[in-house]
Amino acid sequence: MTDPQIVLAERVQQALADAIGAEYADADPMIRPSQFADFQANVAMSVGNRLRRSPREVAEAIRAQMSGFPGTVEVSGPGFLNITLDTSWIADQASQMLADPRAGVSQATPQRIVIDYSAPNAAKEMHVGHLRTTIVGDAMARIMEHLGHTVIRQNHLGDWGTPFGMLIEHLLDIGEDAAVAQLEAGAGTEYYQAARAKFESDQTFKERARTRVTTLQSGDPETMRLWHVFMDATIRYFNKVYTMLGVTLTDADIAGESMYNPMLEKTCDDLQAMGVAVMSEGALCLFPPGFTGSDDKPLPLIIRKSDGGYGYASTDMAAIRYRVDDLKVDRILYVVGADQALHFRMIFAAAEQAGWLPDTVSAEHIQIGMMLGKDGKRFKTRSGESVKLTDLLQEAVDRATAAIDDRGYDEVTKAEIAHAVGMGAVKYADLSISHDSEYVFDFDRMLSFSGNTAPYLQYAQARIRSIFRKAEVDPAAVQGPIRIGEDAERALALQLLGFGAVVDQVADLVEPHRLAAYLYATATAFTTFFEQCPVLKDGVDPETRASRLALCALTLRVMETGLDLLGVPVPDRM
């Protein structure tokens, strides 16, 4: 099968080349869905202006070259091309899509792609600030792999640095067992705060902590053992969160700051030797071109501080070099908060300046906007603290449990459905809006069974499954063909044909909200179909029944595949 918009783009481009000239064969045909037809092509408007010809005249010339097209083309207004596809062509393409194991999603030219996401600080527990980077990054990893790319997940933990001196000393003070229990329980912030309080009030503890930093950096065996005790407990806590969320990160994906620590000295020495890094006020700095401060002086990236210590810029320069040279990647996606935009622009520019980021490798900062509360301010508890991610997720499950409490399920089934609905609601609410936008976290809205929410989409696919249970038919065994006789059937089939193109677009632009919007539109089209086109009722002839079951099966596959690519679970019933 072929996506309608791709077919139309190719046909309009060819017609444009035939009518106006071959030099216009690669012009954007500007195909858009239309309320007046299936699609509208607006290319005649731009080409007409460039040629100083009437856009309507250009549109007529294009239309004249589209003979043999599977549909009708009309010129309207000042030069719009209104295009309506033949219903029989839509039905045939939908039947082919049903027979395609990939439901119209093509295999891409394979790339090696690093996706850097989640990245909590090991010295503190995960909070809502980590939720968005984790969800968006994991969705993109799923989508890229589905298209055939090799995805290298990188969980860039904050697991190294001077704070670990006081954290390890605090571990010794309270005992390893007590520390492990606290960290595994997700009380990392309380642990950190207790260590910080002692560091600031107890001079002896402060001296011990500073000494411990030195032994950590030198690789002292006992200090490294204690560091591993701390990190192993912390990672077990992270894994509880990841399991609850249903994300695909594993311990094998951890590539924290500690991994790059042995590379930092060489990173700085090499940058200095090639003249890219220079000393400035006692620190070793990069000055990538085009970045200035408020005083109009060049803005520095400090890669080695005046006291000899390293910072985020040092690690990020080492990481980008490692990913290009050792991992041999084609594309690097940094799913990190929008407040780091300047930092990453400078890192990418510096890496290009050093020759460490060649033109053949794309490095992109996928900016993540802030999560807000209903008051429009940063999402926090009533006492003003960051909300613990585990508390937030558990509340989502509890609220979902209450929402389905009266539906007669046994306790095991109810727990399974509530978990899927709760996690799906939290994840989809994030993924349904542009990743660089701020959004308001609102349980009432995201758990609603109406509107653009996960429960609405989950319910749509659950309703389709109920149709097949009543029909006593396995949806995977349905073969079609699909025949279209009603407007609602046509609208649903046409909507389904766009699935592959949307997945490709999401991968290219790294915008998972486009897939969410597509799935919502698909669920809405199915709801209309369900209400207007009986499937199993008495009086429906066998051929129509078989065709409508085929449309249901194709819708189910698209919905389930799309939600799975977003990481949203799909319960069999709701």
Side-chain angles (χ1 to χ4, degrees), residues 467 470-473 478 489 534-537 540-552:
I467 292 172
K470 291 177 183 176
E472 298 183 343
V473 173
V478 174
E489 293 173 311
V535 179
L536 304 179
K537 284 185 177 180
V540 177
D541 64 85
E543 185 177 284
T544 299
R545 179 180 185 272
S547 173
R548 289 177 179 173
L549 279 173
L551 255 182
C552 288

Side-chain angles (χ1 to χ4, degrees), residues 166 169-170 173 194-210:
M166 68 180 190
E169 287 302 314
H170 183 57
D173 284 356
R196 170 59 68 181
K198 282 196 289 187
F199 185 84
E200 293 176 349
S201 63
D202 185 334
Q203 186 61 34
T204 301
F205 181 86
K206 179 181 291 188
E207 291 173 2
R208 284 166 48 201
R210 287 174 172 170

Side-chain angles (χ1 to χ4, degrees), residues 21-334:
E23 64 271 26
Y24 290 95
D26 60 351
D28 182 359
M30 302 172 69
I31 307 292
R32 305 287 186 273
S34 172
Q35 60 179 323
F36 304 109
D38 291 331
F39 298 95
Q40 187 176 83
N42 298 342
V43 65
M45 306 295 289
S46 60
V47 171
N49 291 333
R50 286 162 59 187
L51 294 174
R52 296 189 177 183
R53 290 172 57 181
S54 162
R56 188 175 179 90
E57 177 188 337
V58 173
E60 291 285 4
I62 294 171
R63 185 191 62 78
Q65 295 295 328
M66 291 186 69
S67 59
F69 174 76
T72 60
V73 183
E74 297 179 350
V75 177
S76 70
F80 302 121
L81 287 163
N82 286 341
I83 303 170
T84 302
L85 294 162
D86 282 344
T87 297
S88 60
W89 183 88
I90 294 172
D92 180 63
Q93 295 298 307
S95 296
Q96 292 182 44
M97 185 176 175
L98 178 64
D100 178 9
R102 294 183 57 80
V105 179
S106 60
Q107 290 274 358
T109 301
Q111 290 186 319
R112 289 177 62 81
I113 303 175
V114 157
I115 305 183
D116 184 329
Y117 68 104
S118 193
N121 189 334
K124 298 177 183 178
E125 69 210 39
M126 292 182 75
H127 56 78
V128 295
H130 299 112
L131 181 64
R132 301 199 70 192
T133 61
T134 302
I135 290 172
V136 172
D138 204 61
M140 291 312 306
R142 290 166 178 265
I143 290 165
M144 296 299 190
E145 284 183 333
H146 189 66
L147 288 170
H149 300 299
T150 298
V151 174
I152 304 169
R153 294 164 174 79
Q154 298 274 271
N155 193 354
H156 194 101
L157 299 182
D159 63 354
W160 200 255
T162 54
F164 279 86
M166 68 180 190
L167 295 171
I168 291 173
E169 287 302 314
H170 183 57
L171 180 147
L172 289 171
D173 284 356
I174 66 174
E176 292 183 25
D177 291 344
V180 166
Q182 191 173 7
L183 295 167
E184 285 185 345
T189 295
E190 290 90 337
Y191 183 102
Y192 179 88
Q193 290 171 343
R196 170 59 68 181
K198 282 196 289 187
F199 185 84
E200 293 176 349
S201 63
D202 185 334
Q203 186 61 34
T204 301
F205 181 86
K206 179 181 291 188
E207 291 173 2
R208 284 166 48 201
R210 287 174 172 170
T211 301
R212 185 64 67 179
V213 171
T214 302
T215 61
L216 178 66
Q217 292 173 340
S218 66
D220 169 66
E222 176 60 13
T223 300
M224 292 305 300
R225 185 190 71 80
L226 293 168
W227 178 80
H228 279 293
V229 169
F230 181 95
M231 283 307 307
D232 290 349
T234 301
I235 289 169
R236 285 193 290 274
Y237 158 67
F238 291 159
N239 286 339
K240 290 177 186 176
V241 176
Y242 294 147
T243 298
M244 193 171 188
L245 271 174
V247 300
T248 57
L249 283 169
T250 68
D251 289 359
D253 304 318
I254 294 173
E257 293 172 2
S258 61
M259 171 180 163
Y260 301 103
N261 189 60
M263 309 176 193
L264 300 186
E265 183 177 357
K266 180 172 172 52
T267 296
C268 292
D269 290 347
D270 289 351
L271 289 168
Q272 190 169 19
M274 68 177 68
V276 175
V278 296
M279 297 301 298
S280 176
E281 299 181 14
L284 186 63
C285 301
L286 301 169
F287 290 93
F291 296 91
T292 56
S294 57
D295 55 1
D296 291 331
K297 293 182 179 180
L299 202 59
L301 263 177
I302 300 174
I303 57 171
R304 188 171 62 219
K305 303 172 188 176
S306 57
D307 62 3
Y310 303 107
Y312 292 127
S314 326
T315 304
D316 285 333
M317 288 298 291
I320 208 166
R321 187 188 201 184
Y322 168 77
R323 291 165 178 176
V324 173
D325 292 351
D326 293 74
L327 297 182
K328 308 294 183 184
V329 300
D330 302 294
R331 191 177 186 187
I332 312 172
L333 306 180
Y334 293 82

Side-chain angles (χ1 to χ4, degrees), residues 399-453:
R399 285 174 176 253
T401 302
I404 63 169
D405 204 33
D406 60 351
R407 301 196 177 188
Y409 296 119
D410 62 79
E411 290 303 312
V412 173
T413 302
K414 183 167 66 174
E416 291 174 352
I417 295 173
H419 185 272
V421 171
M423 293 305 97
V426 171
K427 296 174 82 171
Y428 186 84
D430 192 317
L431 293 165
S432 63
I433 59 114
S434 178
H435 59 72
D436 57 352
S437 300
E438 295 180 339
Y439 89 105
V440 175
F441 191 94
D442 181 354
F443 271 128
D444 292 335
R445 181 186 61 80
M446 65 177 59
L447 284 164
S448 172
F449 280 75
S450 62
N452 188 13
T453 66

